[in-house]
């Protein structure tokens, strides 16, 4: 009987500890994908603040058509050899001028909003790192994650998802 009481006490203590570990951070997703602040969490960890120079990826003074996007495999932020010529072209553009670029990271619709924002950020950062490693000035490259927001193809299925797993370039005019 003592053994059962001890077991129940330990079980109750474990339950209390586990419930405390699941305590909410009090932050709620405010629907502001890619904007640091409340709700910009990945696995419970706040994403770092992004520099605010008054320009956003969707601003009219940002040209998003100068370079084609690069695409990624499912659940990956590894740059494909097929996309390296595009990245080399962007690197040469940055080396030859004073423009700033913004790299937007995107995912397909699968996964939670938090996971997709984190994956979009890793995709944008992978592209940024490639450019910097090949001679572009990393201080002139911003990144932002939109996760599954702003899909190129709103359909569901592999063909649409493949188009949406991307990083896009915005050249600040």
């Amino acid at each position: 009987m003592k053994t059962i009481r001890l077991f129940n006490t330990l079980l109750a203590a474990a339950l209390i500890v586990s419930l405390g570990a699941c305590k909410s951070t009090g932050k709620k997703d405010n629907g502001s994908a890619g904007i640091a602040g409340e709700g910009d969490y990945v696995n419970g960890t706040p994403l770092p603040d992004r520099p605010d120079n008054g320009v956003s990826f969707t601003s009219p003074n940002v040209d998003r058509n100068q370079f084609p996007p690069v695409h990624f495999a499912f659940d990956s932020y590894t740059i494909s050899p097929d996309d390296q010529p595009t990245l080399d072209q962007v690197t040469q553009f940055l080396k030859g001028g004073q423009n700033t670029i913004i790299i937007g990271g995107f995912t397909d619709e699968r996964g939670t909003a938090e996971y997709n924002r984190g994956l979009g950020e890793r995709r944008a950062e992978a592209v940024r790192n490639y450019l910097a490693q090949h001679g572009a000035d990393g201080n002139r490259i911003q990144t932002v994650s939109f996760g599954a927001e702003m899909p190129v193809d709103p359909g569901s299925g592999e063909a649409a998802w493949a188009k949406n797993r991307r990083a896009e370039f915005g050249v600040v005019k």
Side-chain angles (χ1 to χ4, degrees):
M1 190 66 149
K2 252 184 177 176
T3 306
I4 293 174
R5 206 172 311 145
L6 177 62
F7 175 76
N8 286 339
T9 303
L10 290 174
L11 183 61
L15 181 60
I16 290 169
V17 169
S18 68
L19 287 175
C22 294
K23 181 180 172 191
S24 171
T25 63
K27 299 282 187 178
K28 293 196 168 112
D29 187 351
N30 63 2
S32 57
I35 300 172
E38 183 175 282
D40 202 1
Y41 280 72
V42 177
N43 299 324
T45 305
L47 291 173
D49 288 337
R50 294 179 183 90
D52 182 8
N53 64 0
V55 176
S56 76
F57 191 71
T58 57
S59 294
N61 60 336
V62 174
D63 179 3
R64 291 178 44 204
N65 297 311
Q66 191 158 347
F67 300 104
V70 296
H71 291 89
F72 295 88
F74 173 71
D75 199 28
S76 173
Y77 54 97
T78 301
I79 294 170
S80 164
D82 294 342
D83 287 314
Q84 289 177 355
T86 296
L87 297 176
D88 293 340
Q89 182 183 11
V90 175
T91 300
Q92 292 308 312
F93 171 80
L94 287 170
K95 285 179 174 180
Q98 297 301 313
N99 292 83
T100 298
I101 66 166
I102 304 171
I103 302 168
F106 299 86
T107 66
D108 60 38
E109 65 187 27
R110 298 172 289 178
T112 66
E114 292 82 9
Y115 179 81
N116 285 338
R117 278 195 299 269
L119 181 56
E121 184 69 23
R122 288 187 295 278
R123 287 175 175 168
E125 283 295 322
V127 170
R128 180 186 183 281
N129 291 340
Y130 180 97
L131 299 175
Q133 289 170 356
H134 288 84
D137 180 358
N139 293 321
R140 295 188 6 237
I141 305 170
Q142 293 178 295
T143 62
V144 63
S145 175
F146 292 95
E149 300 295 320
M150 298 169 42
V152 170
D153 187 333
S156 288
E158 187 52 43
W161 295 333
K163 293 175 192 171
N164 294 330
R165 297 188 302 257
R166 69 198 190 280
E168 286 186 13
F169 302 94
V171 178
V172 180
K173 298 178 198 175

